[in-house]
Amino acid sequence: MKKIVLAAIAVMTFGWANAQEQTAKGKWLIETNTSFGATNVGNTGFSLSSVDGETTWGLGAEGGYFVADNLAVKVGLGYNDFGHSDNAFSYKVGAKYYLLNKFPLEASYTGASIKGYDENPSFVGLQGGYAWFLGKNVSVEPGLRYNIGLNDYKDVFQFNVGFALHF
C-alpha cells in the first residue's frame, strides 16, 4: 500500500511539474475550441449547427505568448458561414491565466464583421475551465464561457471544449 501511495504522489508531482513547464514565460500557445451554444458570437473555433434546415459553420484558431509564468496574451481569428448570403470574420484579443497550472481563466474582447449588417456584434467574454495535459505539448481544456453583449446583441452562455498545443 505504501508503494502505491508513493507512486501516486510521484505521478501527480511529475504532472504538476510538466504543466509548469508548458505555461512558463516565453512559451507559445496555439488553440482552438468547439463551442456549444450560440455560434454567431464572433466564434474563433470550430462550430457546426443546423436550425430549421439552415446550416451554419465556423472555423478559427487562437494563438498566444506567455509574457509571464502562467499568463498568456492571446489573439484569434475566425470565419463563420451562416448558410445564406451572410458570413462573418471574427477576431478576439485577450489574456489567459493558468491558476495552479491546471485551471485556465480567460478574459477577452470578441468582435465580428458581418457582411450586410449595420451594427456588428462585440462581446466581453469571461471563461474558466480545466486543463488536462495529455503530454508535453498537448492539452484538452473544457470550460464555461459567458459573453457579455456590448451593443444590441444578447449575452451568451457557452460550453467549450478547447484543444491547445504548447511550444
Side-chain angles (χ1 to χ4, degrees):
M1 181 68 174
K2 184 177 178 182
K3 289 181 183 180
I4 293 173
V5 171
L6 289 175
I9 290 171
V11 167
M12 287 187 288
T13 301
F14 174 73
W16 182 72
N18 193 28
Q20 282 182 316
E21 179 183 316
Q22 293 164 327
T23 61
K25 181 179 178 180
K27 297 287 187 170
W28 289 91
L29 170 72
I30 298 173
E31 66 182 342
T32 191
N33 65 66
T34 58
S35 61
F36 301 98
T39 59
N40 59 353
V41 295
N43 185 30
T44 57
F46 293 109
S47 65
L48 178 64
S49 67
S50 182
V51 176
D52 296 330
E54 193 79 36
T55 301
T56 64
W57 59 272
L59 294 173
E62 301 173 21
Y65 179 75
F66 285 91
V67 295
D69 286 349
N70 299 319
L71 178 63
V73 176
K74 295 177 36 178
V75 296
L77 292 173
Y79 174 79
N80 297 283
D81 185 319
F82 300 122
H84 40 50
S85 62
D86 292 341
N87 56 37
F89 287 98
S90 306
Y91 53 90
K92 181 190 285 188
V93 293
K96 187 175 200 175
Y97 181 75
Y98 284 83
L99 180 66
L100 303 173
N101 300 310
K102 293 287 186 184
F103 302 99
L105 305 172
E106 181 177 316
S108 60
Y109 171 81
T110 305
S113 176
I114 303 175
K115 178 183 168 185
Y117 280 49
D118 291 333
E119 185 174 31
N120 291 305
S122 61
F123 298 87
V124 170
L126 303 172
Q127 181 172 325
Y130 180 77
W132 179 30
F133 288 92
L134 301 176
K136 184 176 181 182
N137 294 3
V138 179
S139 67
V140 176
E141 300 182 5
L144 297 175
R145 180 174 184 82
Y146 189 70
N147 295 295
I148 303 162
L150 297 180
N151 42 22
D152 289 337
Y153 290 85
K154 295 181 181 179
D155 296 355
V156 179
F157 185 74
Q158 294 175 289
F159 171 68
N160 295 326
V161 178
F163 304 93
L165 299 173
H166 301 262
F167 301 99

